[in-house]
Amino acid sequence: MTTRWIFTFPEMISFATEVRAQGKSLALVPTMGALHEGHLSLVRQAKIQCDVVVVSIFVNPTQFGPTEDFARYPRNREKDFQYLESSNVHAVLAPSVPEVFPPGFSTFVDPGPIATILEGAQRPGHFRGVATVILRLFNIVKPDIAFFGQKDFQQVVMVRRLVEDLNLPVRIMVCPTVREADGLALSSRNVYLSAEDRKAGVLLSRSLKRVEEMAQAGEVDSQKLLEEMRKTFDAEPRLHLDYAAIVDPATLSPAAVAVPGSVALVAARLGTGRLIDNMIFGPPGSSPEMRLQVALMTQAADKESGASPRPDIDRLRLRIERCRDCAAVSSISLPAREFLVKYLRRDYADLGSTRVLVIGGCAPIDPFGLPNFHPDAPNPFATRLYELVGVKNFVEFKAHFALTDAARCHAIGNRVDERTLEYCAKYLREELKLFPNLQSIVILGEYAYLQFQKHILGRERANIKAFGELLKSQGRAQETVRLPSHGERDMRVFYCYHPTFENKRSPSLAAYFEQA
Ligand code: AMP
């Protein structure tokens, strides 16, 4: 694949219009170039989630203060291009300054109070510049999803606010910070560091690690944690601390106690460079993705009661259970919209030849949980599914079958509520249209059964037999139905136990499909 370089907005608009006309999803990864593994982690995530990935490279003069490093900010077109080409990025948008700020340009976005604290206090006007360019890029590229790094946590919070306040039709995904082996967060600005400064730079991540350990040992008083952070810096005269703070992740206002989801932020000057870093407090052993999820879902502190900001875990769980799309959980890797349709299109070359559609319970959060990603690795779900339908492996499976799911928001726990099923049914209805020659459907488990009966066949809840009752005598059930997506054609539907959610197993359906 050749990576396309785009320098002008009209060219970008026509590229994006073409992508959308092909029904493909589009990701944008905004950067200032001088790319490193941190940027590439965003690109990789974007490639997993969208069909087409655009990386923008623009060193935005309006986000630099008059005494800052705009002129000397590292620029390395050739190396960036090599990186992006070998990452199979579809297009690179590299506009000039006059393209982004033509003569007469005068409208700027004011992100409000968030832009005046922490980085905003140190760098007045910075977030105004960032917000203006990001909005401009969103309007030009119109991405389905835009990818940002946790490394710039305040920027993430500002961009999410921008999207929410201005109703921008884009989802913001956030990826964890990529670090050097010794903990230093990767940054284009690390090239400014002398060897000595580079050594001292590790203190940022070390101070964050230290307070994380303290919090896990039970010390959650922010003052004490901050004192400890400052002590780390006092020991290194090369480092000049700009700020160290423990904040509520929604508002970035100081948090009196560090709870899961609270964020410790630090910024320090070092020689001619300046470094920033952050760490999200989380339950012990939680992954960086989980912490991000908790932080981004945390509600703002209750100003009236002065209650400490706390992620409302129950509410979080409920929202995720209800719908991954509604919950907009940034760190979940698969947005429902693009989910199965994308994998179905990619992994099943000819959807017209599919005779049997298997509808499972919940789509896994991680695409690698899908049998087609690791067709040869033992996967209990896939092994039992193949047994059920009488095939040996994924190659045999996809010759006649395709797999989709009833719900796409299975983040925490196995319980799926009815509203989730109703919401996700719209994706299932769309997917059914992809298979014009479908003859049979296999429904796995109770949730898929309920959804299919109620939201695909349109049956009243009162007329839907309890799943356990239905399967009691034979371990499976069968009926012939007509689907709105398939007109007058009769469709055989088999209802079976879910291969992994339930203890019971349904007898093999192989005999039915041998004749298919
Ligand atoms: P920049 O080019 O510095 O404007 O960064 C572009 C994007 O890459 C931003 O969303 C950053 O947060 C993200 N990014 C920068 N460094 C890292 C890192 N070490 N790990 C993850 N993301 C990063």
Side-chain angles (χ1 to χ4, degrees):
M1 194 189 78
T2 48
T3 302
R4 186 155 149 197
W5 276 85
I6 297 177
F7 298 102
T8 67
F9 285 161
E11 204 189 335
M12 185 66 231
I13 290 168
S14 69
F15 177 86
T17 308
E18 222 172 275
V19 169
R20 271 186 300 279
Q22 291 167 10
K24 292 181 175 167
S25 54
L26 184 60
L28 173 67
V29 182
T31 80
M32 296 206 298
L35 301 178
H36 50 68
E37 269 301 312
H39 297 113
L40 295 188
S41 73
L42 307 187
V43 170
R44 273 193 289 277
Q45 198 49 237
K47 291 210 66 163
I48 289 174
Q49 298 197 37
C50 288
D51 298 316
V52 174
V53 176
V54 175
V55 173
S56 65
I57 297 180
F58 179 61
V59 185
N60 168 20
T62 65
Q63 72 186 63
F64 288 78
T67 58
E68 291 183 14
D69 56 344
F70 173 68
R72 69 180 183 122
Y73 191 84
R75 293 164 172 87
N76 199 339
R77 275 277 165 91
E78 218 156 276
K79 195 160 149 237
D80 287 352
F81 186 63
Q82 278 168 10
Y83 264 145
L84 295 173
E85 198 154 61
S86 55
S87 308
N88 283 323
V89 161
H90 300 81
V92 182
L93 171 63
S96 65
V97 172
E99 184 73 18
V100 182
F101 297 108
F105 186 98
S106 67
T107 306
F108 281 81
V109 179
D110 174 0
I114 199 106
T116 62
I117 52 176
L118 302 164
E119 278 304 280
Q122 299 291 325
R123 307 182 63 189
H126 169 71
F127 287 113
R128 174 182 187 257
V130 174
T132 305
V133 164
I134 291 291
L135 179 59
R136 194 104 213 270
L137 289 173
F138 285 175
N139 282 333
I140 302 283
V141 180
K142 295 200 169 64
D144 294 286
I145 314 180
F147 292 78
F148 291 85
Q150 179 194 330
K151 159 84 183 349
D152 299 276
F153 191 80
Q154 192 171 359
Q155 173 172 279
V156 164
V157 175
M158 188 275 287
V159 171
R160 279 164 51 95
R161 244 310 15 115
L162 176 79
V163 166
E164 196 172 324
D165 290 350
L166 301 185
N167 297 83
L168 306 180
V170 56
R171 286 163 60 87
I172 303 301
M173 304 293 287
V174 188
C175 304
T177 303
V178 178
R179 300 175 179 282
E180 302 275 11
D182 66 358
L184 180 73
L186 297 191
S187 163
S188 308
R189 288 189 164 102
N190 288 354
V191 297
Y192 298 152
L193 301 178
S194 67
E196 291 291 296
D197 291 341
R198 166 67 188 77
K199 263 193 231 149
V202 80
L203 287 185
L204 276 83
S205 59
R206 200 171 289 161
S207 71
L208 294 168
K209 191 107 201 98
R210 173 83 190 104
V211 291
E212 180 186 12
E213 284 162 6
M214 286 172 71
Q216 294 197 349
E219 179 55 84
V220 293
D221 180 332
S222 293
Q223 282 317 321
K224 295 214 172 96
L225 296 172
L226 288 172
E227 258 166 47
E228 185 68 22
M229 277 177 89
R230 289 192 194 105
K231 249 195 253 166
T232 317
F233 293 108
D234 287 346
E236 176 50 80
R238 290 177 166 275
L239 264 168
H240 300 279
L241 194 61
D242 274 346
Y243 59 81
I246 294 175
V247 299
D248 161 33
T251 58
L252 300 187
S253 52
V257 287
V259 295
S262 304
V263 188
L265 298 157
V266 62
R269 279 170 288 127
L270 197 55
T272 58
R274 185 169 176 280
L275 302 177
I276 60 171
D277 203 349
N278 67 79
M279 182 273 299
I280 300 173
F281 292 91
S286 49
S287 67
E289 287 81 4
M290 179 64 187
R291 289 167 184 227
L292 260 170
Q293 194 167 307
V294 173
L296 298 178
M297 291 298 295
T298 297
Q299 305 302 306
D302 184 339
K303 291 248 161 49
E304 298 272 295
S305 70
S308 62
R310 228 166 245 289
D312 185 343
I313 297 284
D314 284 338
R315 200 163 150 214
L316 166 67
R317 184 176 293 136
L318 250 181
R319 285 180 70 184
I320 296 171
E321 275 180 2
R322 205 164 292 142
C323 184
R324 193 185 286 176
D325 222 21
C326 311
V329 178
S330 303
S331 54
I332 285 182
S333 42
L334 290 164
R337 268 185 304 162
E338 296 80 10
F339 182 49
L340 288 161
V341 174
K342 173 178 167 185
Y343 295 110
L344 287 171
R345 287 214 175 102
R346 194 193 60 188
D347 297 325
Y348 300 84
D350 177 14
L351 299 181
S353 68
T354 300
R355 298 278 180 268
V356 188
L357 182 65
V358 180
I359 304 177
C362 300
I365 296 174
D366 177 352
F368 294 96
L370 290 166
N372 36 332
F373 269 83
H374 288 296
D376 301 322
N379 168 336
F381 170 77
T383 309
R384 289 177 194 160
L385 172 64
Y386 298 159
E387 260 169 43
L388 179 71
V389 299
V391 298
K392 283 202 218 51
N393 51 37
F394 185 63
V395 174
E396 278 189 29
F397 180 80
K398 69 177 182 177
H400 296 292
F401 302 85
L403 173 67
T404 186
D405 276 303
R408 291 97 209 273
C409 43
H410 175 203
I412 300 175
N414 286 345
R415 226 193 62 72
V416 182
D417 71 15
E418 290 210 23
R419 268 199 286 176
T420 302
L421 298 176
E422 181 183 351
Y423 187 86
C424 291
K426 70 184 180 199
Y427 298 109
L428 188 55
R429 277 194 287 272
E430 283 305 304
E431 281 160 18
L432 283 165
K433 292 184 201 155
L434 297 174
F435 304 98
N437 296 310
L438 215 54
Q439 294 171 349
S440 308
I441 293 177
V442 177
I443 305 275
L444 303 177
E446 184 168 4
Y447 298 125
Y449 164 72
L450 272 180
Q451 184 190 54
F452 188 76
Q453 291 277 317
K454 203 169 160 196
H455 303 296
I456 304 291
L457 298 179
R459 292 183 178 157
E460 290 295 327
R461 187 75 167 94
N463 300 331
I464 301 174
K465 213 171 177 179
F467 187 66
E469 267 311 293
L470 183 76
L471 270 60
K472 204 161 78 183
S473 63
Q474 302 189 354
R476 67 163 182 249
Q478 183 183 340
E479 69 172 326
T480 301
V481 300
R482 289 199 173 161
L483 297 180
S485 49
H486 290 72
E488 299 296 294
R489 193 131 48 82
D490 282 344
M491 187 88 63
R492 267 187 322 182
V493 185
F494 298 92
Y495 301 104
C496 302
Y497 291 114
H498 191 280
T500 43
F501 287 173
E502 282 141 319
N503 294 327
K504 297 184 182 148
R505 297 274 162 268
S506 288
S508 171
L509 298 171
Y512 291 97
F513 299 133
E514 271 161 14
Q515 307 143 20

